[in-house]
Amino acid sequence: MPELFFKRLRDYWCEVAKVLKGEAKPASIFPNTTDIGMCREWVYAKFLETHVPSKCNVRLGGFLFDAKGNESKQIDIIVSTDTVPKFNFYNRDGGGKCFSHLEGTIGVVSVKSNLNKKELFNALENIGSIPAMAPLMKRVNPQYNLSESDYEEWPF
């Protein structure tokens, strides 16, 4: 009977997709593409908030930075752990921008109203600008035996 569950799960995601599309469509009333984009980012961020674990924060993005001060380009949505400091001063009501430390970030999202070649390259450039993570090898609790072969299996 697992097929029945997976069919219901597929149906669930299809219905959620319809709702997301319906919520994002009214944003096209705005003449400014930036306003349209921000509305659609908000819709997707609210969707993520209802589906990620409670230990995650979903915020409208800004940029990511590392311990050395390197910054990414514009990131639309940032998903981080609940243990990383929040730099959310301009996002108190959930409608503004924030920034986040790279090491507490779980994921990022680039939202595009129309995905053409130009927008795809823009999204990839922004995501590609995220500073690289420093290796964990010298930062792991000394009581944990982390070998080089295990390192690739570790999540950041």
Side-chain angles (χ1 to χ4, degrees), residues 12-68:
Y12 170 80
W13 287 117
C14 287
E15 293 303 317
V16 168
K18 288 178 190 175
V19 170
L20 283 174
K21 189 173 182 179
E23 288 184 353
K25 194 159 187 80
S28 62
I29 189 69
F30 296 109
N32 184 330
T33 56
T34 302
D35 293 337
I36 294 170
M38 286 189 70
C39 290
R40 290 178 175 165
E41 288 170 16
W42 184 85
V43 166
Y44 195 72
K46 293 303 173 192
F47 156 75
L48 283 176
E49 282 180 355
T50 62
H51 289 89
V52 298
S54 59
K55 293 257 180 207
C56 297
N57 294 307
V58 177
R59 293 169 296 182
L60 293 179
F63 63 91
L64 298 177
F65 69 96
D66 67 10
K68 294 179 182 177

Side-chain angles (χ1 to χ4, degrees), residues 45 49 57-61 76-81 84-88 91 96 98-100:
E49 282 180 355
N57 294 307
V58 177
R59 293 169 296 182
L60 293 179
D76 294 336
I77 298 173
I78 298 171
V79 181
S80 63
T81 67
V84 67
K86 292 182 185 180
F87 299 96
N88 223 16
N91 191 30
C98 72
F99 56 100
S100 185

